[in-house]
């Protein structure tokens, strides 16, 4: 598991979280602990929010829709309360292939048994994709309407009619306008969420950050760089498989395969004289070294597996639920 001492995230919110990372002993009867699901359509800032709440990067981000493909759990202990945050893939309505069916199943599973749901939307915006996610939320679980990217709203007075329309759509427990990159907003959000956590013993060591393995983090970091450096040219169905993960003292040796669906996509990933693939590997390695605080040797390959995203068995074999 990833521990807090392994590294620091680079944005303002994560830096503030690092400073507050020391957890004082808390009597068992005073402890609170609960699950908080983070849901919303693709590209509303769910993963950025999770990283800020945890205080370190555990979920990858990019402008490409469907960057998050797994249920990623992050832990944060603040005062007497331990928050178990669950980041989910953006719910997909446009494509019905095996991969998207798997991702949507992950979303539904995540919201079925939590204490609080953070429904993330872009402040001032709400469309059919948002509405379909909202329709999935259980009626018996409190939902906080989190209007993210509030800092990008220029005429904030115009939000009043938008907010009234949102309140007509659902009986939200709270309305929180914020930016996931603002440390004060993150601190305020902790105070709001805390009141919904049940009084019970903490489930995890206060120093732990996530239930995901280093092997998983390596795969995700390569996929993040793949998406960021290929832009919209490469279909979102590309994925990354870890073939080897070995520890040799202070060195981690990793071999990974980038899986694409067509020969033309393979050329996009490799680039002219292999420069694109080299850059993907270099940037992923540098991020992993910062997170883990050790040297990393990363070797990348690219393979074509036509139609894998439409094949239920292959989707499962590639690690999707």
């Amino acid at each position: 598991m990833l521990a807090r001492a392994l590294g620091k995230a680079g944005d303002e919110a994560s830096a503030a979280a690092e400073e507050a990372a020391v957890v004082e002993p808390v009597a068992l009867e005073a402890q609170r602990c609960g699950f908080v699901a983070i849901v919303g359509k693709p590209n509303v800032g769910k993963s950025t929010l999770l990283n800020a709440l945890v205080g370190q990067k555990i979920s990858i981000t990019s402008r490409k829709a469907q960057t998050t493909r797994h249920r990623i759990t992050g832990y944060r202990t603040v005062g007497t309360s331990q928050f178990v945050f669950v980041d989910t893939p953006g719910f997909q309505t446009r494509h019905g292939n095996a991969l998207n069916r798997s991702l949507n199943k992950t979303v539904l599973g995540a919201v079925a048994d939590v204490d609080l749901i953070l429904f993330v939307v872009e402040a001032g915006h709400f469309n059919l994709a948002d509405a379909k996610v909202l329709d999935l939320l259980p009626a018996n679980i409190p939902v906080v309407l989190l209007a993210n990217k509030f800092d990008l709203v220029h005429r904030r007075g115009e939000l009043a009619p938008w907010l009234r329309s949102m309140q007509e759509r659902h009986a939200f427990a709270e309305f929180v306008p914020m930016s996931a990159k603002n440390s004060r907003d993150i601190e305020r959000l902790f105070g709001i969420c805390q009141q919904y956590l049940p009084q019970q013993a903490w489930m995890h060591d206060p120093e732990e950050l996530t239930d995901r393995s280093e092997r998983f983090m390596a795969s995700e970091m390569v996929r993040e760089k793949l998406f960021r450096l290929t832009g919209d040219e490469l279909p979102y169905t590309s994925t990354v498989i870890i073939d080897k993960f070995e520890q040799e003292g202070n060195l981690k040796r990793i071999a990974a395969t980038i899986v694409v669906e067509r020969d033309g996509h393979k050329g996009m990933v490799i680039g002219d004289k292999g420069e694109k693939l080299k850059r993907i590997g270099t940037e992923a390695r540098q991020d992993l070294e910062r997170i883990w605080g050790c040297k990393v040797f990363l070797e990348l390959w690219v393979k074509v597996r036509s139609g894998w995203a439409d094949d239920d068995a292959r989707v499962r074999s590639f690690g999707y639920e």
Side-chain angles (χ1 to χ4, degrees), residues 10-32:
D11 59 41
E12 177 190 0
S14 296
E18 285 289 335
E19 293 174 2
V22 177
V23 180
E24 299 294 333
V26 176
L28 188 63
E29 60 271 17
Q31 293 179 4
R32 287 179 174 269

Side-chain angles (χ1 to χ4, degrees), residues 293-314:
C294 70
K295 290 292 183 181
V296 174
F297 176 80
L298 176 61
E299 186 177 23
L300 296 180
W301 305 90
V302 185
K303 294 183 180 179
V304 178
R305 294 291 182 268
S306 180
W308 77 268
D310 289 311
D311 186 332
D312 286 295
R314 183 160 282 178

Side-chain angles (χ1 to χ4, degrees), residues 48 51 57 59-64 67 221-232 234 276 279-280 283 287:
T48 299
N51 291 337
K57 184 172 185 175
S59 186
I60 65 173
T61 61
S62 81
R63 294 180 180 180
K64 187 180 288 288
T67 300
M221 201 60 64
V222 172
R223 195 163 60 84
E224 177 186 77
K225 305 312 176 188
L226 172 68
F227 282 177
R228 286 189 174 186
L229 295 174
T230 56
D232 294 329
L234 191 69
K276 181 66 66 67
R279 186 178 172 190
I280 291 169
E283 293 194 12
D287 269 12

Side-chain angles (χ1 to χ4, degrees), residues 142-294:
V143 180
V144 170
L145 174 61
L146 199 157
N148 194 27
K149 305 181 183 180
F150 186 66
D151 53 317
L152 302 180
V153 177
H154 300 296
R155 298 181 179 178
R156 298 184 178 181
E158 296 179 358
L159 280 182
W162 174 79
L163 176 57
R164 285 195 294 270
S165 70
M166 293 301 297
Q167 291 171 329
E168 292 172 357
R169 293 178 183 274
H170 188 91
F172 293 104
E174 309 268 358
F175 167 61
V176 183
M178 65 170 292
S179 167
K181 297 181 179 180
N182 186 300
S183 60
R184 292 183 179 179
D185 287 350
I186 293 298
E187 183 179 351
R188 181 166 55 94
L189 185 58
F190 276 121
I192 293 170
C193 294
Q194 182 180 31
Q195 61 187 312
Y196 295 96
L197 302 187
Q199 287 187 311
Q200 60 180 348
W202 296 344
M203 301 176 186
H204 306 280
D205 187 303
E207 293 301 311
E208 291 181 2
L209 292 181
T210 181
D211 61 344
R212 287 296 185 173
S213 67
E214 292 182 337
R215 188 184 185 101
F216 173 81
M217 288 298 298
S219 171
E220 288 289 272
M221 201 60 64
V222 172
R223 195 163 60 84
E224 177 186 77
K225 305 312 176 188
L226 172 68
F227 282 177
R228 286 189 174 186
L229 295 174
T230 56
D232 294 329
E233 300 172 353
L234 191 69
Y236 79 96
T237 48
S238 306
T239 194
V240 177
I241 308 299
I242 299 298
D243 303 308
K244 181 178 73 174
F245 191 107
E246 298 175 350
Q247 181 82 44
E248 298 178 5
N250 196 44
L251 171 69
K252 297 184 192 294
R253 291 187 178 275
I254 304 169
T257 299
I258 296 173
V259 179
V260 297
E261 289 201 299
R262 298 180 183 176
D263 289 328
H265 301 159
K266 183 176 181 179
M268 294 178 192
V269 175
I270 295 174
D272 185 35
K273 298 180 180 178
E275 287 302 312
K276 181 66 66 67
L277 185 62
K278 181 179 179 181
R279 186 178 172 190
I280 291 169
T282 298
E283 293 194 12
R285 174 184 57 79
Q286 290 172 343
D287 269 12
L288 290 171
E289 288 180 340
R290 279 194 292 269
I291 293 173
W292 292 336
C294 70

